Amino acid sequence: MRKLLLSLLAMTALLFVLDRAIGAGLERLFRASENPTDGDVLGHAWKLRAPVIVCGASRASHHYVSDSLGAELGAPVFNLGRDGSWGAAYQYGSAGILLNHYTPSLWIMDVDPFLVRTHEILDRLSCFLPWAHSEPVARELVGLRSRWEPIRLLSRIYPYNSMVLRLAAAHRGQDAAPRFGFLPLTGTMTLAEADREAASAPVARADVDTLKLRFLARAIGALRERGVAVVAVRSPRYVSAQSAVARERLDGQELERVFARHGVRFLDFSASAQPHWREPSLYRDASHLNETGALRFTHELADSLRALNLVPAVRD
Amino acid sequence: MRFNSLDYLFFFLAVVGPFFAIPARLRKTWLLVASLAFYMYWSPVFILLILYSTTIDYFVARRLAVVDDARARRGLLAFSYVTNFGALFVFKYFDFFMDSWASVMQAAGFPVDAPALRLILPVGISFYTFEAISYTTDVYYRKYPAERDYARLLLFIVYFPKLIAGPIERAWHLIPQFERTAVFEYDRVREGIARILWGLFKKVVIADRLAVYVDTIYAHPDQHVGSTLLLATLFFTFQIYCDFSAYSDIASGTAQVMGIELLRNFRRPYFASSIADFWSRWHISLSTWFRDYVYIPLGGNRSGFWKTNQNIFTVFLVSGIWHGANWTFVLWGIWHGVFLLAQNILDRYAPLLVRPGRLSHVLRVALTFVIVTLSWVLFRAASVSDAMHVYRAIFTNFDAARFFPGNGAQLAYGAFGIAVLLAVETCTELGLYSKFFLPRLKPARWLAYASAVLLLLLIGVVDGGQFIYFQF
């Protein structure tokens, strides 16, 4: 028994040292990367102290041309769009972490019905793992994934689980460099693709998730408390069938009601609200604008923000 | 409580620590309590089903021990079979047979509204039912004495390492081991822990990583070309092996720590040189169960060549049904049965085609691997029509230009896992591991353990899914 305990002790010590060493290496790679999926986007945003933050999922990351929007508004913009992070928990976590470091002036939430509908995918909250050691909000969200997260977090490698190859690729400059978090999409959706994708888009309306609603309320509350102006923006999605347009309209009305309850202005750029967004050449696929579409959308958004007098002032 | 969870790690420590600390006479009781708690963690209600069938089997076996009348004995055995298979049928197969009957009637122009129970399948029911059946059958044939101690019989059924997904134990093998006083032996415990670690590695680093790609592709096989489907099928070939053998390794490692040796379930099946060889290496405890309780009672190989082959085919048909209540599993069993028959016929009528030799052996291993890999399409597809689409796409719409790579990093992790597996298995198959690695390179062994743990953290799917065989 004694021999086994000694062996296990020795093994634990060896693992501790290796875990610390490899974890430190991964953390360095992570902090250096600005890749929206596997990089320290939050760290880059607070280093830039960007007055305008765009937050959402892949549609945010591909639709809001940060440098163009920044030029039009006269203030740096950072885009926190992250693939698959369409739930309200991502908004809450990102806001909580950034507010610990500085106070932006304007928070643009890119929203769609998934912000509050369908269950929050708790596994996706793993995106906050790299901040879990230092940020209470990240720790809170990561803790929702499993009751064992605090134990797993004893490891310094674990926060970077499954990221090693992407981090190495980013380090070697193999990834497309984002522009203040914005990742342009090139190419154009063909009409056949448009029809197919529009037809395959989900039509059933999932239930509103109370957990998501709670996170949305907490995100807006935290931003408001620090005097950050919040605006909800629904960026364009390609729809063509009448049923899809009608459905999108209904979703828009629901989102407007949700944000009205919080006193947040809702800007609807959906194809149901603004028919000129039904032009397929502006899209890469049914859910994402290509760079041309993104530039046009960003310009229209800047106009709307200016019209609403939501142009930010740089502050600490 | 999944074996690949921290819940299990703490459960394991909580069971094993006291196991060695308490007096030997209390260990059986301790294991029984732990095993019942383990099962009730899954489904508290279904423990009643186990208690019910075990109680019946206990009394049936006790009667079999004292009754000599052949007719009465057959009646008792039939009662045990009806009890055990009845529960299995109700929970696992009733809806399948009703749905199939309704489909047949509809096709014949007589649509019927078939009743459906839609019951939740009790975890491990296929496994512990077969163990219970083997017990009463062995008592019936007087190969094993009827158990006097009810608690010991119950422990045989519910012993937690193998309860959910095997190996399918036999009373003669497991029960006597409960009576042995396991002393703490460093080498045995270390080997047990190493086995658990290897199982975890196979599940978390290989199987669950490959599952990410496989699940994506097989969720909508109609949207993918043959090249993508072939890679997904190849990945599934390794996923299911790593997934299932991982469970067996963790189960055997856990038992080994406590001084109990479970039946061996896998022996590097993808190095098999024929389908018959494959089944002597894959899910061995099930193969031997079918051999002892289906194939031999049917007459085995004692009634001529064609009757032997008929018996083999029956075994594979039943094996397919055992795996799941779906026509895909039935066809999977038939697939293996057909290829085994083909091999038997070749061996008998064209023996020169299978001349021995190293090159011939390699070719046979490769051919067996291809046959087995293609059979997994039926195992993985959600329906027969999905499976047929996969076959059609692989053979008629390969279209490498439209290959779907998914997330490149995922593919790379998956390929790395397969490479590690093949390296380890090749060394073991060729005897290099036991000849060189084990005795001589102690530091390398420890480095291997440390690397396995670090890889679990680095690229393992930490919150991975359930073990595939749990559904059976």
Side-chain angles (χ1 to χ4, degrees), chain A residues 1 3-4 7 11 14-15 18-19 22 26 145 147-149 151-152 155 157-158 161-165, chain B residues 6-7 10 20 41 184 186 189 193 209 409 412-413 446 449-450 453-454 456-460 462-463:
Chain A
M1 180 77 91
K3 190 178 173 187
L4 182 77
S7 302
M11 176 60 82
L14 175 69
L15 285 173
L18 290 172
D19 177 77
I22 297 170
L26 290 169
R145 302 176 71 229
R147 63 189 151 144
W148 299 117
E149 286 302 313
I151 291 182
R152 290 174 185 159
S155 161
I157 291 178
Y158 173 66
N161 173 270
S162 304
M163 291 164 67
V164 61
L165 285 181
Chain B
L6 280 172
D7 302 63
F10 290 114
F20 285 111
Y41 187 91
F184 189 93
Y186 171 76
V189 173
I193 294 171
R209 182 59 65 189
Y413 296 140
W446 282 92
Y449 298 156
V453 174
L454 293 173
L456 285 174
L457 292 166
L458 204 56
I459 60 171
V462 180
D463 285 304

Side-chain angles (χ1 to χ4, degrees), chain A residues 236-305:
Chain A
R237 179 193 294 273
Y238 179 78
V239 288
S240 55
Q242 279 309 308
S243 58
V245 173
R247 150 82 192 274
E248 204 180 56
R249 198 167 287 133
L250 275 177
D251 287 340
Q253 287 162 2
E254 180 186 53
L255 283 169
E256 192 163 13
R257 277 196 300 274
V258 167
F259 284 104
R261 276 201 291 274
H262 293 289
V264 170
R265 197 176 289 274
F266 174 64
L267 304 179
D268 195 351
F269 290 86
S270 67
S272 58
Q274 303 189 16
H276 65 274
W277 288 111
R278 293 182 202 173
E279 169 55 50
S281 66
L282 298 172
Y283 292 84
R284 176 64 190 86
D285 57 54
S287 299
H288 300 100
L289 295 167
N290 56 25
E291 190 168 12
T292 310
L295 279 166
R296 183 166 165 186
F297 162 69
T298 302
H299 177 67
E300 289 188 17
L301 173 66
D303 283 348
S304 298
L305 292 175

Side-chain angles (χ1 to χ4, degrees), chain B residues 435-465:
Chain B
K435 201 183 282 180
F436 301 107
F437 190 67
L438 263 181
R440 296 183 190 175
L441 297 170
K442 192 173 171 186
R445 203 168 59 211
W446 282 92
L447 198 62
Y449 298 156
S451 304
V453 174
L454 293 173
L455 283 168
L456 285 174
L457 292 166
L458 204 56
I459 60 171
V461 180
V462 180
D463 285 304

Side-chain angles (χ1 to χ4, degrees), chain A residues 11-304:
Chain A
M11 176 60 82
T12 307
L14 175 69
L15 285 173
F16 180 83
V17 172
L18 290 172
D19 177 77
R20 279 331 192 235
I22 297 170
L26 290 169
E27 186 174 358
R28 276 182 68 121
L29 292 176
F30 175 78
R31 298 291 172 215
S33 170
E34 208 181 317
N35 185 294
T37 310
D38 292 318
D40 185 11
V41 280
L42 288 167
H44 281 81
W46 82 58
K47 271 176 217 146
L48 186 69
R49 302 184 78 77
V52 181
I53 293 293
V54 176
C55 190
S58 61
R59 285 160 43 75
S61 125
H62 299 309
H63 291 186
Y64 298 77
V65 188
S66 311
D67 41 13
S68 299
L69 187 61
E72 294 216 38
L73 298 180
V77 174
F78 202 93
N79 188 331
L80 299 178
R82 188 179 195 283
D83 275 4
S85 299
W86 50 71
Y90 182 65
Q91 300 277 351
Y92 168 67
S94 303
I97 292 172
L98 275 199
L99 289 174
N100 258 356
H101 296 267
Y102 83 106
T103 307
S105 298
L106 175 63
W107 188 277
I108 299 172
M109 287 185 177
D110 181 74
V111 301
D112 68 10
F114 290 117
L115 181 79
V116 290
R117 286 193 177 271
T118 74
H119 289 302
E120 185 73 63
I121 303 172
L122 297 178
D123 197 43
R124 295 261 161 89
L125 300 178
S126 62
C127 65
F128 291 112
L129 276 169
W131 291 280
H133 284 121
S134 54
E135 303 286 342
V137 175
R139 213 161 29 246
E140 177 200 343
L141 290 172
V142 164
L144 293 175
R145 302 176 71 229
S146 154
R147 63 189 151 144
W148 299 117
E149 286 302 313
I151 291 182
R152 290 174 185 159
L153 283 166
L154 293 175
S155 161
R156 292 282 160 171
I157 291 178
Y158 173 66
Y160 308 99
N161 173 270
S162 304
M163 291 164 67
V164 61
L165 285 181
R166 294 291 303 270
L167 289 176
H171 181 66
R172 290 166 57 192
Q174 289 174 348
D175 277 359
R179 290 157 27 198
F180 301 106
F182 166 68
L183 271 175
L185 288 177
T186 52
T188 305
M189 173 172 70
T190 64
L191 279 175
E193 280 173 337
D195 290 343
R196 195 171 58 240
E197 296 217 38
S200 68
V203 287
R205 300 189 83 197
D207 290 335
V208 170
D209 183 41
T210 51
L211 183 67
K212 281 184 168 178
L213 284 176
R214 271 207 305 278
F215 277 128
L216 182 65
R218 290 176 72 183
I220 294 170
L223 290 162
R224 282 273 172 72
E225 202 177 295
R226 296 281 288 272
V228 183
V230 182
V231 59
V233 178
R234 190 185 197 195
S235 58
R237 179 193 294 273
Y238 179 78
V239 288
S240 55
Q242 279 309 308
S243 58
V245 173
R247 150 82 192 274
E248 204 180 56
R249 198 167 287 133
L250 275 177
D251 287 340
Q253 287 162 2
E254 180 186 53
L255 283 169
E256 192 163 13
R257 277 196 300 274
V258 167
F259 284 104
R261 276 201 291 274
H262 293 289
V264 170
R265 197 176 289 274
F266 174 64
L267 304 179
D268 195 351
F269 290 86
S270 67
S272 58
Q274 303 189 16
H276 65 274
W277 288 111
R278 293 182 202 173
E279 169 55 50
S281 66
L282 298 172
Y283 292 84
R284 176 64 190 86
D285 57 54
S287 299
H288 300 100
L289 295 167
N290 56 25
E291 190 168 12
T292 310
L295 279 166
R296 183 166 165 186
F297 162 69
T298 302
H299 177 67
E300 289 188 17
L301 173 66
D303 283 348
S304 298

Side-chain angles (χ1 to χ4, degrees), chain B residues 43-184:
Chain B
S43 45
V45 176
F46 288 134
I47 197 69
L48 297 175
L49 189 65
I50 295 183
L51 291 174
Y52 167 72
S53 62
T54 306
T55 306
I56 298 246
D57 291 331
Y58 174 77
F59 286 111
V60 163
R62 299 282 293 144
R63 286 295 298 158
L64 282 170
V66 293
V67 171
D68 286 325
D69 177 60
R71 203 170 153 191
R73 289 173 64 78
R74 277 201 300 274
L76 283 165
L77 187 65
F79 182 51
S80 167
Y81 281 10
V82 168
T83 302
N84 289 290
F85 285 134
L88 185 63
F89 178 82
V90 168
F91 280 99
K92 190 168 176 178
Y93 298 107
F94 181 83
D95 288 355
F96 169 63
F97 281 106
M98 285 296 123
D99 288 346
S100 301
W101 176 64
S103 301
V104 169
M105 295 301 284
Q106 185 154 7
F110 303 102
V112 289
D113 196 10
L117 298 174
R118 306 286 178 244
L119 297 172
I120 296 169
L121 187 68
V123 278
I125 189 169
S126 303
F127 293 89
Y128 68 70
T129 297
F130 270 34
E131 288 173 337
I133 289 292
S134 75
Y135 167 68
T136 47
T137 308
D138 285 354
V139 172
Y140 174 81
Y141 284 112
R142 302 194 196 283
K143 289 178 181 169
Y144 187 77
E147 191 52 64
R148 285 171 172 275
D149 183 349
Y150 177 80
R152 200 158 49 187
L153 179 65
L154 184 58
L155 180 56
F156 161 64
I157 298 293
V158 300
Y159 182 52
F160 74 90
K162 55 81 190 166
L163 173 58
I164 307 295
I168 298 168
E169 275 294 335
R170 309 293 180 81
W172 55 262
H173 182 256
L174 189 58
I175 292 179
Q177 295 191 68
F178 292 140
E179 294 307 313
R180 287 206 307 248
T181 304
V183 291
F184 189 93

Side-chain angles (χ1 to χ4, degrees), chain A residues 196, chain B residues 222-228 397-405:
Chain A
R196 195 171 58 240
Chain B
D222 53 321
Q223 294 175 4
H224 297 282
V225 294
S227 51
T228 306
N397 183 25
F398 194 77
D399 201 354
R402 285 174 59 210
F403 170 74
F404 174 74

